[in-house]
Amino acid sequence: MSTWSLEKCETISFPRINDNRGNLTFIEGQNHIPFPIERFYYIYDVPGGAERAAHAHVNLHQVYIAMSGSFDVHLDDGRQRRTYSLNRSYFGLYICPMVWRHIDNFSSNSVLGVLASARYDESDYIRDYGQFLERISAE
Ligand code: TYD
């Protein structure tokens, strides 16, 4: 069985500087994020009813942030499943390797920001759920 599990995935609370001109949150590498940040990308303009992800990563660590709006992140390590509703830009969701995830229920104008531990590499993706289950039971 894979040594990675949902127990390692958790929400992270980022610092908040509240101000009547608007609030500010900051994220520092090597401080708030449990891996060196190598990439940032974001998903936006998501049409109603769309789903994203539906894959796992072999080695990649990520933190998802609802920069704006809300969406649901469904995690599955092959043994248990858990859903996180992200709707605050001062929370992140850390997702370790070898966890299947899909994202749905995007609100209009939502923006999903992702901090990632490595650059894009298609060979790091497992896009077939059956292969994912085989792989975690072999590890
Ligand atoms: P993908 O990760 O499959 O999207 P999702 O968020 O739904 O899981 O990526 C969609 C497409 O974008 C795919 O063709 C790969 C490309 N892509 C990059 O080129 N660079 C990146 O950093 C990412 C995340 C995706």
Side-chain angles (χ1 to χ4, degrees):
M1 252 335 204
S2 167
T3 54
W4 295 110
S5 78
L6 284 194
E7 306 309 325
K8 299 209 164 62
C9 301
E10 59 183 7
T11 51
I12 303 171
S13 189
F14 301 126
R16 275 188 277 167
I17 313 291
N18 293 331
D19 190 314
N20 55 18
R21 298 170 302 159
N23 300 332
L24 182 152
T25 280
F26 57 92
I27 300 170
E28 297 171 344
Q30 312 290 343
N31 187 5
H32 303 115
I33 300 296
F35 52 80
I37 301 162
E38 195 63 39
R39 176 167 51 126
F40 175 63
Y41 65 92
Y42 38 101
I43 292 174
Y44 52 98
D45 289 347
V46 179
E51 296 199 5
R52 298 290 314 216
H55 60 246
H57 284 283
V58 179
N59 292 308
L60 193 72
H61 300 253
Q62 294 182 304
V63 169
Y64 283 7
I65 305 164
M67 309 294 298
S68 177
S70 61
F71 44 82
D72 294 337
V73 183
H74 307 275
L75 302 182
D76 175 351
D77 64 6
R79 284 159 286 197
Q80 49 174 333
R81 294 178 177 176
R82 200 176 288 166
T83 295
Y84 291 85
S85 294
L86 298 188
N87 55 15
R88 292 281 182 261
S89 45
Y90 49 81
F91 283 131
L93 174 62
Y94 166 66
I95 307 177
C96 67
M98 297 308 287
V99 168
W100 187 268
R101 85 289 308 267
H102 76 273
I103 316 158
D104 62 10
N105 202 20
F106 285 90
S107 68
S108 57
N109 293 321
S110 55
V111 179
L112 161 56
V114 183
L115 298 165
S117 63
R119 293 192 183 187
Y120 172 73
D121 174 8
E122 185 58 37
S123 69
D124 189 68
Y125 283 72
I126 304 170
R127 293 191 184 272
D128 181 272
Y129 187 69
Q131 282 175 14
F132 167 70
L133 293 179
E134 277 172 28
R135 180 118 182 202
I136 51 172
S137 54
E139 276 186 14

